C-alpha cells in the first residue's frame, strides 16, 4: 500500500474525510468512537437489506475478514461471526500470558476486530475452562470434537443458527488433511447443521425453550478461482470508507496483535471465491452474489409474502418499508433529514410488526417476519442515535468493585445535533440482586443542541456477588429512551471499560508454580504473597497460607493494614515439606481474612492499549511439583528470550544462575563466561541482533560453549546455515509436528549425556506431557548431528529430527523442537529433568 493511502485509512480529509470510527482505537465498549458521515453511512446501510450471513471459525482470527467487511460494510448485510474457542492454546506475541489469560486477550482482540467490520460476534465457548477449549494443535476433527464434547459443541452451534437465523452460512475452512483439526471440526458441524437446524427432532429441548427451527438457504465452502460458484469482489474500493474491503478487513486483523496478524495491501482488484455446497433454494452454476434466489430487500420479502392468503396488507406494508429505506439513503449525508426518515421508517416497522402479529399467516412466516422486523428496529435505533448525534455514556466512579460495596454510576446523554430531542429517559440496568437508586431526576422533557442531561445512580453490590467473569455480558448497562419527530427510540449503552467485582484482597503468590526437589526435601520454599486492597477505603487483613498436611509454614499469619484502595503490600513466608514427602503434585493456597470473611483469589490485571483493561480472577494458589532432580552446582546460563516463554524464571527457581542477555551482551560481551546459552522459541525472528551476531554464537560453541536453540519457523528468519551444520525446517508446517502429548518416544542414543547426566532419563520422563510433543520439526539436517529421539503421532511416520545435537569444535550445539515453553511452566517432571540435562552438557 502506498504511504499516502495508508495514512488515508487513519485520517480521512475534507468533507468525506471525517475520522472513521472503524479506524480509531479507544477504550473497550465504545472502542471505535462514533464519528461523522462515515459512521452515519455505516449505521444506515443495513436498512437497505433484510439478508443475513454467518461465518464460522474455530479460533479468534479465523474469520474471513475481507468478506465480512464486504458483506457488512459494503452491502449492509446482517453479518455474524461464530467462533468456537477463545484461542487459549496459541502463542502470544505481545506478552507472556498463556492459557486462559491469553484466551481473555484474544477474545478482547476479536471483539475489537468485530467492531471494525460491524459484525455481530458470538462464541461457542461460554466461560473460563469451558469444554470447547483451545487444547493446542490437532490433526483430526474427530479428536477435536471428542475433546470438546461433540454434542456440546453441536448443540451450541445449532442454537446460534436457530437464534440468529442466517440466510447464508460460510465455514472458514475446508475439512482437509492439511488443515488444523479445530478448523476441520467446525467445518464438519457447520456442514451438518445446514439440515439439522431445520429438523425439529434435533435438540427438541431448544424448541420447548421458545426457539424455532431454521432452514439456512445456502451453505458455501472456501474455493479458488478455478472452481467456484461465487466470486466476491473484496478488492472493490469504497469511496465513503476510503479503502477497499480487503484493507478494511485487514484493519480488523491488525487488532489480533497477540497473534501478529494484519498486513498492508495495495489498492486494486482482488476476489475471494466460494463454492456452493448445499442449498434450499433454486441455484445456478455461476452466481453473481451469495444472495441469488434469496429475498434480499423488503421488496423481495413483499413478493414472497404476497403469495399467501390474506397477506396482501402485509405485503403492501413491506413495500412501504422498501420506500422508507430508499428515502433514508437518499437523505444521506444530511443528518437532520436522515434522522427524520429513520424515525418515519421506525414507526412503519413497529406498525408492520403489530399487523404481522394480528395477521392470519402461517406460524413459520410470522416468526420469520417478526424476527427480521425486530432486527430492523434495532438497526433503526442505532441509526437514529447516529443521525441525531446523540452521545450516550455510562460512567461508574470506579470499575473495580467488591462484594457489598456501594458506588455511584452516572448515565448521560449529549445532543451534538441541531435537532431537539424530547422525552429523554436515562435508565441504568444492574444484575439481579444488585440495587440501583437514582439520586436525581432520570427523565427530561427535551435535550437541545450542545446540551447534556445526566442522572447519577447509587449502586449497591450484594454481599454474595459473583466475582468477575471475563466472558460474561457487561454487569452495568443503560437504556436511553427519547423521541424525535413523534416517534420513540432507544439506544443501549455500556461503560467504556470492564466493570468488575474483584476479591476484597487480591492475592498473588510468587512463585505461582515451582519444583520441590525430593532429593533435598527439607530445602525451604520461599513464598511471597502480594496483596492488593480493592476495598473502597482503609482495610486490615490477616494473611495465611494453607499448606498440605504435615507441612509447615512460617509465620503462621501476617497482619496487614491498608490505608487506601489500590494499596499493595507483600509478606514473605517460608514453607517446608514434610521429611517424608513423596513425588506428587501439591497446592499451597493464600488466604486473606478480614471481619470473618475470606479472600482466596487473585485478580490478574490484563491491560493493553488496543483492548483496554480486563481481569482474570483465579484461585490464589502455588502449584508445587515434587520429584527427584539433580542440578549441577554453579551452573551459569545466558538466556536469550524472544518474549514468548518464561523458562528462564523456572531455571532460576531450580538454582541455576541465569542471566537474561541483552542485545549488547550478545553483540559484544564475553560469552565464554556462560556454561550454556539458550535461545528461546523463535528468537531469531524477534531478536534482531541475533542474525548479525550468529558468528559470535557459533564461535562461542567452537571454543567450548554449549548452545541450545529452541524451535523456529521459517518465517522467523531461520536459515539452514544459522546452525553450524545445516538444519532445514519442514514445510508445510502443519505436517511437521507431533500433537499427541502421550505419543511414544523412542530414545535413539541412550548413552548420550543428555539422557544420563546429571539426571537419568527413563520412559517415565516422557509421561504426563501436555498439549503437544513438538512443533516445526526439521526435515533435513547435516550428518554431523546425533538424532536423539524418534517420535510421531499414532499412525504417522515418526520424526527423527526433533532433538538434534552435534559437537562443533570443543563445544556442543543442540536444536530441539520439543515444546519446552509449555511443558516447563506446567511443571512436567520429565521435561524439566531433560532440560536441566540439556543445559548441563560438559559440566
Amino acid at each position: 500500500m502506498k504511504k499516502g493511502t495508508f495514512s488515508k485509512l487513519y485520517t480521512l480529509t475534507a468533507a468525506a474525510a471525517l475520522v472513521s470510527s472503524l479506524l480509531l482505537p479507544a477504550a473497550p465498549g465504545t472502542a471505535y468512537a462514533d464519528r461523522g458521515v462515515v459512521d452515519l453511512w455505516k449505521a444506515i446501510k443495513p436498512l437497505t437489506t433484510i439478508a443475513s450471513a454467518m461465518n464460522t471459525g474455530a479460533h479468534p482470527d479465523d474469520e474471513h475478514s475481507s468478506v465480512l467487511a464486504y458483506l457488512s460494510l459494503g452491502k449492509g448485510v446482517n453479518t455474524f461471526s461464530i467462533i468456537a474457542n477463545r484461542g487459549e492454546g496459541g502463542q502470544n506475541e505481545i506478552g507472556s500470558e498463556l492459557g486462559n489469560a491469553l484466551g481473555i486477550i484474544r477474545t478482547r482482540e476479536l471483539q475489537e476486530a468485530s467492531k471494525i467490520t460491524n459484525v455481530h460476534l458470538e462464541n461457542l465457548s461460554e466461560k473460563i475452562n469451558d469444554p470447547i477449549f483451545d487444547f493446542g494443535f490437532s490433526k483430526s476433527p474427530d479428536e477435536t470434537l471428542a475433546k470438546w464434547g461433540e454434542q456440546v459443541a453441536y448443540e451450541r452451534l445449532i442454537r446460534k443458527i436457530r437464534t440468529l437465523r442466517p440466510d447464508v452460512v460460510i465455514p472458514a475452512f475446508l475439512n482437509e488433511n492439511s488443515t488444523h483439526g479445530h478448523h476441520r471440526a467446525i467445518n464438519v458441524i457447520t456442514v451438518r447443521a445446514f439440515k439439522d437446524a431445520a429438523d425439529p427432532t434435533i435438540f427438541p429441548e431448544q424448541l420447548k425453550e421458545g426457539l424455532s427451527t431454521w432452514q439456512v438457504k445456502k451453505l458455501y465452502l472456501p474455493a479458488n478461482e478455478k472452481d467456484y460458484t461465487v466470486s466476491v469482489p473484496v478488492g472493490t474500493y469504497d469511496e465513503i470508507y476510503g479503502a477497499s474491503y480487503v484493507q478494511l478487513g485487514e484493519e480488523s486483523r491488525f487488532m489480533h496483535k497477540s497473534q501478529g496478524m494484519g498486513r498492508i495491501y495495495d489498492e486494486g482488484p482482488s476476489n475471494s471465491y466460494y463454492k456452493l455446497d448445499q442449498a434450499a433454494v433454486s441455484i445456478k452454476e455461476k452466481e453473481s452474489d451469495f444472495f441469488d434466489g434469496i429475498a434480499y430487500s423488503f421488496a423481495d420479502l413483499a413478493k414472497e409474502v404476497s403469495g399467501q392468503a390474506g397477506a396482501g396488507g402485509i405485503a403492501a406494508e413491506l413495500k412501504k418499508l422498501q420506500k422508507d429505506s430508499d428515502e433514508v439513503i437518499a437523505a444521506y449525508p444530511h443528518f437532520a433529514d436522515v434522522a427524520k426518515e429513520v424515525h418515519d421508517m421506525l414507526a412503519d416497522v413497529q406498525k408492520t410488526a403489530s399487523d404481522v402479529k394480528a395477521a392470519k399467516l402461517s406460524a413459520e412466516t410470522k416468526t420469520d417476519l417478526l424476527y427480521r422486523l425486530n432486527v430492523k428496529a434495532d438497526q433503526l435505533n442505532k441509526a437514529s442515535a447516529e443521525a441525531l448525534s446523540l452521545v450516550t455514556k455510562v460512567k461508574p466512579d470506579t470499575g473495580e468493585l467488591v462484594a457489598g460495596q456501594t458506588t455511584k454510576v452516572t448515565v448521560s446523554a449529549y445532543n451534538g445535533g441541531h435537532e431537539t430531542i424530547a422525552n429523554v429517559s436515562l435508565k441504568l440496568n444492574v444484575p439481579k440482586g444488585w440495587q440501583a437508586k437514582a439520586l436525581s431526576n432520570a427523565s427530561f422533557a427535551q435535550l437541545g443542541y450542545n446540551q447534556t442531561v445526566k442522572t447519577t445512580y447509587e449502586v449497591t453490590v450484594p454481599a454474595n456477588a459473583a466475582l468477575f467473569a471475563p466472558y460474561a455480558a457487561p454487569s452495568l448497562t443503560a437504556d436511553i429512551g427519547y423521541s424525535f419527530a413523534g416517534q420513540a427510540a432507544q439506544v443501549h449503552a455500556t461503560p467504556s471499560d470492564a466493570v468488575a467485582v474483584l476479591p476484597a484482597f487480591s492475592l498473588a503468590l510468587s512463585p505461582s508454580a515451582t519444583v520441590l526437589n525430593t532429593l533435598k526435601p527439607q530445602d525451604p520454599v520461599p513464598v511471597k504473597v502480594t496483596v492488593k486492597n480493592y476495598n473502597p477505603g482503609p482495610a486490615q487483613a490477616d494473611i495465611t497460607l494453607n499448606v498440605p498436611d504435615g507441612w509447615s509454614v512460617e509465620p503462621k499469619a501476617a497482619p496487614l493494614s491498608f490505608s487506601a484502595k489500590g494499596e499493595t503490600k507483600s509478606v514473605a513466608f517460608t514453607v517446608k515439606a514434610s521429611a517424608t514427602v513423596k513425588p506428587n503434585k501439591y497446592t499451597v493456597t493464600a488466604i486473606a481474612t478480614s471481619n470473618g470473611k475470606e479472600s482466596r483469589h487473585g485478580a490478574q490485571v490484563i491491560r493493553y492499549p488496543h483492548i483496554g483493561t480486563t481481569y482474570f480472577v483465579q484461585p490464589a494458589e502455588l502449584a508445587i511439583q515434587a520429584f527427584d532432580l539433580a542440578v549441577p552446582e554453579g551452573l551459569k546460563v545466558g538466556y536469550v528470550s524472544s518474549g514468548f516463554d518464561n523458562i528462564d524464571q523456572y531455571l532460576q527457581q531450580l538454582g541455576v544462575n541465569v542471566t537474561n542477555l541483552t542485545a549488547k551482551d550478545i553483540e559484544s560481551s564475553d560469552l565464554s563466561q556462560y556454561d550454556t546459552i539458550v535461545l528461546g522459541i523463535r528468537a531469531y525472528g524477534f531478536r534482531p541482533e541475533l542474525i548479525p551476531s550468529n558468528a559470535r554464537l557459533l564461535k562461542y560453541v567452537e571454543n567450548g560453549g554449549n548452545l541450545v536453540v529452541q524451535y523456529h519457523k521459517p518465517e522467523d528468519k531461520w536459515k539452514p546455515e544459522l546452525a553450524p551444520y545445516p538444519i532445514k525446517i519442514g514445510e508445510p508446517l502443519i505436517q511437521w509436528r507431533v500433537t499427541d502429548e502421550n505419543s511414544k518416544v523412542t530414545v535413539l542414543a541412550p548413552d548420550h549425556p543428555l539422557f544420563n547426566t546429571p539426571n537419568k532419563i527413563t520412559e517415565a520422563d516422557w509421561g504426563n506431557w501436555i498439549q503437544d510433543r513438538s512443533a516445526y520439526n526439521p526435515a533435513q539436517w547435516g550428518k554431523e548431528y546425533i538424532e536423539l529421539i524418534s517420535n510421531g503421532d499414532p499412525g504417522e511416520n515418526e520424526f527423527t529430527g526433533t532433538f538434534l545435537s552435534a559437537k562443533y569444535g570443543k563445544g556442543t550445539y543442540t536444536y530441539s523442537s520439543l515444546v519446552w515453553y509449555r511443558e516447563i511452566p506446567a511443571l512436567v517432571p520429565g521435561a524439566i529433568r531433560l532440560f536441566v540435562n540439556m543445559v548441563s552438557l560438559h559440566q
Side-chain angles (χ1 to χ4, degrees), residues 658-828:
V658 178
T659 299
N660 284 97
L661 301 184
T662 66
K664 184 177 180 180
D665 292 332
I666 295 165
E667 291 167 345
S668 60
S669 73
D670 177 14
L671 300 180
S672 67
Q673 64 183 295
Y674 303 106
D675 299 307
T676 298
I677 294 176
V678 179
L679 305 190
I681 59 171
R682 308 181 64 194
Y684 281 102
F686 293 86
R687 295 291 296 267
E689 70 275 13
L690 280 179
I691 290 179
S693 300
N694 195 61
R696 293 192 81 236
L697 292 174
L698 295 184
K699 191 66 176 177
Y700 159 79
V701 180
E702 191 175 11
N703 290 338
N706 180 33
L707 182 62
V708 173
V709 180
Q710 298 180 65
Y711 78 66
H712 281 72
K713 297 181 181 181
E715 59 261 38
D716 297 323
K717 302 175 185 175
W718 178 264
K719 302 293 182 184
E721 57 270 19
L722 289 172
Y725 313 110
I727 295 177
K728 182 180 179 181
I729 310 302
E731 294 185 274
L733 297 177
I734 194 172
Q735 296 178 6
W736 292 85
R737 59 194 304 163
V738 179
T739 63
D740 184 351
E741 62 271 31
N742 299 310
S743 57
K744 179 176 174 53
V745 175
T746 301
V747 175
L748 301 177
D751 295 330
H752 195 282
L754 275 166
F755 301 118
N756 294 279
T757 306
N759 298 283
K760 179 66 176 178
I761 303 302
T762 69
E763 186 174 349
D765 287 304
W766 299 105
N768 300 311
W769 286 46
I770 67 163
Q771 192 157 322
D772 297 305
R773 282 286 192 205
S774 61
Y776 319 123
N777 284 293
Q780 298 175 22
W781 51 90
K783 64 182 185 338
E784 295 85 355
Y785 291 102
I786 297 173
E787 299 166 3
L788 296 169
I789 66 171
S790 175
N791 176 234
D793 281 320
E796 298 184 4
N797 293 330
E798 294 199 347
F799 300 115
T800 59
T802 299
F803 205 1
L804 301 170
S805 190
K807 295 294 293 183
Y808 182 66
K810 299 177 182 178
T812 304
Y813 180 97
T814 302
Y815 186 95
S816 174
S817 296
L818 293 167
V819 288
W820 306 107
Y821 83 106
R822 293 200 185 279
E823 309 307 321
I824 290 177
L827 303 180
V828 176

Side-chain angles (χ1 to χ4, degrees), residues 522-544:
Q522 287 302 291
D523 278 3
V525 179
V527 179
K528 183 174 79 169
V529 180
T530 300
V531 186
K532 185 172 184 177
N533 175 34
Y534 279 111
N535 289 283
Q540 297 81 38
D542 287 330
I543 312 301
T544 57

Side-chain angles (χ1 to χ4, degrees), residues 42 98 136 194 201 257 289 310 322 353 440 555 567 582 650 686 698 706 716:
K42 184 173 73 169
L98 292 173
F194 178 84
T201 68
K257 295 184 186 300
D289 189 88
Q322 179 66 55
S440 58
E567 187 177 1
K582 303 294 184 186
Y650 288 91
F686 293 86
L698 295 184
N706 180 33
D716 297 323

